Amino acid sequence: MRLASPWKPRLDEGSGLPYERLVAALADDIAGGNLPHGARLPPHRELAYQLGIGIGTVTKAYAVLERRGLVQSERGRGMFVAGLAPRATEVIDLSVNLPPQMLSDRLLSATLASLARRLDAGTFGSYLPPAGRDDHRALLARWLAAQRLDAAPERLLICHGAQHAIAVAFAAAAPAGGVVLTEALTYPGAIMLARQRGDRLVGIELDEQGMRPDALEQALHSQACTEGPRLLYVTPSLHNPTAATMGAGRREEIVRLCRAHDVIIVEDDIHAILVGPELLPIAMLAPERTLHVSGLSKTLSPGLRVGSLVVPSAFLDRALTALRATCTMASPLACLIMEQWLTDGTAHSVAASIRTDAARRMDLARTLLRLDRRADAPGYHLWLPMPTARADSFAGAAMAKGIRVMPPRAPMVDTKAAEGGIRLSLGAPPFDTLRQSLTTLAGLLGDGPMQNYGDLAVL
């Protein structure tokens, strides 16, 4: 006699076709531990009847989950949960902004086995075009189109990750030694790059929507910005580290100022797939002066080091020169993995599961840390503003409890500023480990009330 499945059938509440909603529901419950390794899934016909969908829909959903390695079929017995491999760690690491782990060992093994049948030594031993194969550039352009960016493949360069794409963008946008305007709190990798180039960093104040236009305009009129080339490095969607997202009006105002002052824009849009369809990238509002950076590491897996840089035609030659000077080509193997996942549906399925799991983790964090829920961020990091001295002490106290957070001064343009904060990256630990760490951090924060404005928590 077969054991009944422990799963309570449901479809995900999001949009999408029925099989996509079934995939999302099952993947979410597997990731959350509601369906442990070895648990039986309902038979096709029974599940179709309970959910009021076709048997073919169930078959297609199970096939997607099996291709991802989350379930496995045993002949004559049924379909069972294969599960996800946990990330082994001694210290609970909330310092690195990794997406929730939605890839299984079986999926990776199957992908590499498939590539082994297609990849020959001659191809692997040859150089790709510096900007990437034309068909791969077209694939990435279609992927970006789903994120509201109209990118002509001939203006898209494949880079060795988004960090490389930022470096190429900076080199193409302005000679070294100029002025880089950016949020007063920003991506540490961009800060390191600007300092390595000898650029002068000018930090712009933020609010609940990120960079403030009035502060940007004031900076553009200041003496610090009157000499040398100027570029703006900005993250309008799920800003790192604050998780703020610019509204449509704010994006248009930033573009207006950059046009009026002839400032070139480098848009870091690495988290665009996590935000809603109503917000256009800045590159769509100012295509003539915006270099758009994206990549797959934050939305699929950090090991997939494939970045994209979309550049205006006027900057294309300089971008190609910078690309050749810094990396002969992106990894052929990484590009082939990208090709397979973008064509067989894996990328879309994994990204959907990451969005769902990220929302679950954010909900947990807001509950345990007593954050206002008026404007939940859709990503997997959040920001706790506090005086810099307190942030330093908090980071040390957390480390003493076995919890690593990002060094508080790492995202600060001015490391001597009195106000800073703590970024918590929620994606890496297993869910129960995350619960444990957040409970500990809540104790360190004390019992003071926590409110927020927009997506920024305020102590």
mmCIF file of all heavy atoms in Angstrom, residues 206-232:
data_model
loop_
_atom_site.group_PDB
_atom_site.id
_atom_site.type_symbol
_atom_site.label_atom_id
_atom_site.label_comp_id
_atom_site.label_asym_id
_atom_site.label_seq_id
_atom_site.Cartn_x
_atom_site.Cartn_y
_atom_site.Cartn_z
ATOM 1 N N LEU A 206 20.407 60.115 0.418
ATOM 2 C CA LEU A 206 19.313 59.230 0.029
ATOM 3 C C LEU A 206 18.091 59.481 0.889
ATOM 4 O O LEU A 206 18.177 60.033 1.981
ATOM 5 C CB LEU A 206 19.713 57.762 0.199
ATOM 6 C CG LEU A 206 20.924 57.210 -0.530
ATOM 7 C CD1 LEU A 206 22.148 57.245 0.353
ATOM 8 C CD2 LEU A 206 20.641 55.782 -0.975
ATOM 9 N N ASP A 207 16.947 59.011 0.383
ATOM 10 C CA ASP A 207 15.740 58.910 1.197
ATOM 11 C C ASP A 207 15.087 57.571 0.886
ATOM 12 O O ASP A 207 15.763 56.641 0.436
ATOM 13 C CB ASP A 207 14.803 60.095 0.965
ATOM 14 C CG ASP A 207 14.314 60.207 -0.477
ATOM 15 O OD1 ASP A 207 14.473 59.231 -1.255
ATOM 16 O OD2 ASP A 207 13.764 61.264 -0.849
ATOM 17 N N GLU A 208 13.800 57.453 1.110
ATOM 18 C CA GLU A 208 13.130 56.160 0.939
ATOM 19 C C GLU A 208 13.106 55.688 -0.507
ATOM 20 O O GLU A 208 12.829 54.512 -0.765
ATOM 21 C CB GLU A 208 11.700 56.220 1.490
ATOM 22 C CG GLU A 208 10.713 57.034 0.675
ATOM 23 C CD GLU A 208 10.808 58.525 0.949
ATOM 24 O OE1 GLU A 208 11.697 58.952 1.733
ATOM 25 O OE2 GLU A 208 9.990 59.277 0.377
ATOM 26 N N GLN A 209 13.370 56.571 -1.480
ATOM 27 C CA GLN A 209 13.431 56.173 -2.884
ATOM 28 C C GLN A 209 14.855 56.174 -3.439
ATOM 29 O O GLN A 209 15.050 56.118 -4.643
ATOM 30 C CB GLN A 209 12.563 57.098 -3.740
ATOM 31 C CG GLN A 209 11.070 56.927 -3.545
ATOM 32 C CD GLN A 209 10.282 57.634 -4.624
ATOM 33 O OE1 GLN A 209 10.505 57.441 -5.817
ATOM 34 N NE2 GLN A 209 9.339 58.464 -4.203
ATOM 35 N N GLY A 210 15.826 56.220 -2.570
ATOM 36 C CA GLY A 210 17.204 56.217 -3.040
ATOM 37 C C GLY A 210 17.747 57.622 -3.209
ATOM 38 O O GLY A 210 17.463 58.533 -2.420
ATOM 39 N N MET A 211 18.534 57.826 -4.256
ATOM 40 C CA MET A 211 19.209 59.108 -4.470
ATOM 41 C C MET A 211 18.204 60.257 -4.578
ATOM 42 O O MET A 211 17.231 60.180 -5.320
ATOM 43 C CB MET A 211 20.051 59.034 -5.744
ATOM 44 C CG MET A 211 20.821 60.302 -6.054
ATOM 45 S SD MET A 211 21.837 60.138 -7.552
ATOM 46 C CE MET A 211 23.102 59.023 -6.977
ATOM 47 N N ARG A 212 18.488 61.349 -3.833
ATOM 48 C CA ARG A 212 17.608 62.509 -3.844
ATOM 49 C C ARG A 212 17.983 63.463 -4.976
ATOM 50 O O ARG A 212 19.133 63.909 -5.071
ATOM 51 C CB ARG A 212 17.698 63.243 -2.515
ATOM 52 C CG ARG A 212 16.992 62.572 -1.364
ATOM 53 C CD ARG A 212 17.270 63.260 -0.044
ATOM 54 N NE ARG A 212 17.353 64.722 -0.181
ATOM 55 C CZ ARG A 212 17.823 65.507 0.783
ATOM 56 N NH1 ARG A 212 18.273 64.990 1.909
ATOM 57 N NH2 ARG A 212 17.866 66.823 0.594
ATOM 58 N N PRO A 213 17.037 63.817 -5.847
ATOM 59 C CA PRO A 213 17.345 64.744 -6.953
ATOM 60 C C PRO A 213 17.842 66.096 -6.478
ATOM 61 O O PRO A 213 18.745 66.675 -7.099
ATOM 62 C CB PRO A 213 16.008 64.858 -7.696
ATOM 63 C CG PRO A 213 15.272 63.606 -7.352
ATOM 64 C CD PRO A 213 15.680 63.273 -5.952
ATOM 65 N N ASP A 214 17.286 66.634 -5.388
ATOM 66 C CA ASP A 214 17.736 67.947 -4.927
ATOM 67 C C ASP A 214 19.189 67.893 -4.461
ATOM 68 O O ASP A 214 19.971 68.820 -4.702
ATOM 69 C CB ASP A 214 16.828 68.468 -3.818
ATOM 70 C CG ASP A 214 16.821 67.572 -2.585
ATOM 71 O OD1 ASP A 214 16.941 66.346 -2.731
ATOM 72 O OD2 ASP A 214 16.684 68.102 -1.461
ATOM 73 N N ALA A 215 19.570 66.777 -3.814
ATOM 74 C CA ALA A 215 20.960 66.631 -3.376
ATOM 75 C C ALA A 215 21.883 66.442 -4.574
ATOM 76 O O ALA A 215 23.012 66.947 -4.585
ATOM 77 C CB ALA A 215 21.075 65.444 -2.422
ATOM 78 N N LEU A 216 21.412 65.740 -5.595
ATOM 79 C CA LEU A 216 22.214 65.573 -6.806
ATOM 80 C C LEU A 216 22.424 66.918 -7.492
ATOM 81 O O LEU A 216 23.547 67.251 -7.907
ATOM 82 C CB LEU A 216 21.525 64.592 -7.764
ATOM 83 C CG LEU A 216 22.171 64.427 -9.142
ATOM 84 C CD1 LEU A 216 23.607 63.930 -9.026
ATOM 85 C CD2 LEU A 216 21.339 63.491 -10.022
ATOM 86 N N GLU A 217 21.355 67.706 -7.602
ATOM 87 C CA GLU A 217 21.487 69.014 -8.259
ATOM 88 C C GLU A 217 22.445 69.912 -7.490
ATOM 89 O O GLU A 217 23.277 70.615 -8.084
ATOM 90 C CB GLU A 217 20.117 69.670 -8.374
ATOM 91 C CG GLU A 217 20.148 70.978 -9.145
ATOM 92 C CD GLU A 217 18.766 71.471 -9.494
ATOM 93 O OE1 GLU A 217 17.802 71.141 -8.768
ATOM 94 O OE2 GLU A 217 18.634 72.197 -10.508
ATOM 95 N N GLN A 218 22.360 69.887 -6.178
ATOM 96 C CA GLN A 218 23.273 70.695 -5.372
ATOM 97 C C GLN A 218 24.716 70.266 -5.589
ATOM 98 O O GLN A 218 25.615 71.101 -5.713
ATOM 99 C CB GLN A 218 22.893 70.561 -3.897
ATOM 100 C CG GLN A 218 23.752 71.413 -2.963
ATOM 101 C CD GLN A 218 23.312 71.284 -1.517
ATOM 102 O OE1 GLN A 218 22.346 70.607 -1.193
ATOM 103 N NE2 GLN A 218 24.041 71.949 -0.629
ATOM 104 N N ALA A 219 24.953 68.958 -5.655
ATOM 105 C CA ALA A 219 26.313 68.459 -5.877
ATOM 106 C C ALA A 219 26.831 68.863 -7.247
ATOM 107 O O ALA A 219 28.014 69.219 -7.403
ATOM 108 C CB ALA A 219 26.343 66.942 -5.719
ATOM 109 N N LEU A 220 25.970 68.837 -8.253
ATOM 110 C CA LEU A 220 26.390 69.183 -9.608
ATOM 111 C C LEU A 220 26.803 70.649 -9.717
ATOM 112 O O LEU A 220 27.595 71.004 -10.590
ATOM 113 C CB LEU A 220 25.272 68.859 -10.596
ATOM 114 C CG LEU A 220 25.040 67.371 -10.869
ATOM 115 C CD1 LEU A 220 23.760 67.153 -11.651
ATOM 116 C CD2 LEU A 220 26.226 66.771 -11.609
ATOM 117 N N HIS A 221 26.266 71.484 -8.854
ATOM 118 C CA HIS A 221 26.634 72.906 -8.854
ATOM 119 C C HIS A 221 27.817 73.208 -7.933
ATOM 120 O O HIS A 221 28.301 74.339 -7.905
ATOM 121 C CB HIS A 221 25.435 73.763 -8.424
ATOM 122 C CG HIS A 221 24.376 73.876 -9.468
ATOM 123 N ND1 HIS A 221 24.555 74.563 -10.650
ATOM 124 C CD2 HIS A 221 23.114 73.372 -9.515
ATOM 125 C CE1 HIS A 221 23.444 74.494 -11.377
ATOM 126 N NE2 HIS A 221 22.554 73.774 -10.713
ATOM 127 N N SER A 222 28.266 72.197 -7.184
ATOM 128 C CA SER A 222 29.328 72.424 -6.215
ATOM 129 C C SER A 222 30.691 72.465 -6.892
ATOM 130 O O SER A 222 30.876 71.982 -8.014
ATOM 131 C CB SER A 222 29.319 71.319 -5.146
ATOM 132 O OG SER A 222 29.740 70.083 -5.710
ATOM 133 N N GLN A 223 31.661 72.983 -6.193
ATOM 134 C CA GLN A 223 33.013 73.104 -6.742
ATOM 135 C C GLN A 223 33.631 71.730 -6.994
ATOM 136 O O GLN A 223 34.429 71.558 -7.909
ATOM 137 C CB GLN A 223 33.896 73.908 -5.779
ATOM 138 C CG GLN A 223 35.287 74.212 -6.337
ATOM 139 C CD GLN A 223 36.080 75.132 -5.425
ATOM 140 O OE1 GLN A 223 35.557 75.609 -4.425
ATOM 141 N NE2 GLN A 223 37.329 75.385 -5.785
ATOM 142 N N ALA A 224 33.230 70.743 -6.203
ATOM 143 C CA ALA A 224 33.798 69.404 -6.357
ATOM 144 C C ALA A 224 33.472 68.790 -7.705
ATOM 145 O O ALA A 224 34.158 67.861 -8.149
ATOM 146 C CB ALA A 224 33.283 68.492 -5.239
ATOM 147 N N CYS A 225 32.435 69.293 -8.370
ATOM 148 C CA CYS A 225 31.998 68.698 -9.639
ATOM 149 C C CYS A 225 32.232 69.605 -10.841
ATOM 150 O O CYS A 225 31.670 69.358 -11.913
ATOM 151 C CB CYS A 225 30.509 68.322 -9.558
ATOM 152 S SG CYS A 225 30.144 67.015 -8.393
ATOM 153 N N THR A 226 33.006 70.635 -10.673
ATOM 154 C CA THR A 226 33.181 71.582 -11.776
ATOM 155 C C THR A 226 34.347 71.238 -12.690
ATOM 156 O O THR A 226 34.438 71.774 -13.794
ATOM 157 C CB THR A 226 33.385 73.007 -11.227
ATOM 158 O OG1 THR A 226 34.504 73.006 -10.329
ATOM 159 C CG2 THR A 226 32.138 73.483 -10.491
ATOM 160 N N GLU A 227 35.228 70.344 -12.255
ATOM 161 C CA GLU A 227 36.409 70.029 -13.053
ATOM 162 C C GLU A 227 36.426 68.546 -13.423
ATOM 163 O O GLU A 227 36.127 67.685 -12.604
ATOM 164 C CB GLU A 227 37.681 70.369 -12.265
ATOM 165 C CG GLU A 227 37.820 71.843 -11.925
ATOM 166 C CD GLU A 227 39.075 72.122 -11.126
ATOM 167 O OE1 GLU A 227 39.847 71.168 -10.901
ATOM 168 O OE2 GLU A 227 39.287 73.279 -10.732
ATOM 169 N N GLY A 228 36.799 68.272 -14.665
ATOM 170 C CA GLY A 228 36.949 66.896 -15.117
ATOM 171 C C GLY A 228 35.635 66.270 -15.522
ATOM 172 O O GLY A 228 34.551 66.804 -15.275
ATOM 173 N N PRO A 229 35.706 65.093 -16.172
ATOM 174 C CA PRO A 229 34.494 64.386 -16.602
ATOM 175 C C PRO A 229 33.700 63.883 -15.399
ATOM 176 O O PRO A 229 34.252 63.595 -14.347
ATOM 177 C CB PRO A 229 35.050 63.215 -17.427
ATOM 178 C CG PRO A 229 36.441 63.016 -16.913
ATOM 179 C CD PRO A 229 36.937 64.367 -16.520
ATOM 180 N N ARG A 230 32.381 63.807 -15.589
ATOM 181 C CA ARG A 230 31.505 63.382 -14.509
ATOM 182 C C ARG A 230 30.638 62.218 -14.991
ATOM 183 O O ARG A 230 30.121 62.222 -16.095
ATOM 184 C CB ARG A 230 30.617 64.533 -14.061
ATOM 185 C CG ARG A 230 31.365 65.736 -13.539
ATOM 186 C CD ARG A 230 30.446 66.914 -13.325
ATOM 187 N NE ARG A 230 29.831 67.378 -14.563
ATOM 188 C CZ ARG A 230 28.975 68.397 -14.639
ATOM 189 N NH1 ARG A 230 28.645 69.052 -13.537
ATOM 190 N NH2 ARG A 230 28.465 68.769 -15.786
ATOM 191 N N LEU A 231 30.498 61.238 -14.113
ATOM 192 C CA LEU A 231 29.540 60.168 -14.397
ATOM 193 C C LEU A 231 28.765 59.876 -13.123
ATOM 194 O O LEU A 231 29.243 60.106 -12.009
ATOM 195 C CB LEU A 231 30.218 58.919 -14.954
ATOM 196 C CG LEU A 231 31.119 58.055 -14.085
ATOM 197 C CD1 LEU A 231 30.331 57.038 -13.278
ATOM 198 C CD2 LEU A 231 32.138 57.308 -14.949
ATOM 199 N N LEU A 232 27.561 59.367 -13.320
ATOM 200 C CA LEU A 232 26.690 59.016 -12.201
ATOM 201 C C LEU A 232 26.552 57.505 -12.159
ATOM 202 O O LEU A 232 26.109 56.886 -13.123
ATOM 203 C CB LEU A 232 25.312 59.655 -12.391
ATOM 204 C CG LEU A 232 24.258 59.303 -11.333
ATOM 205 C CD1 LEU A 232 24.569 60.017 -10.020
ATOM 206 C CD2 LEU A 232 22.861 59.659 -11.812
#
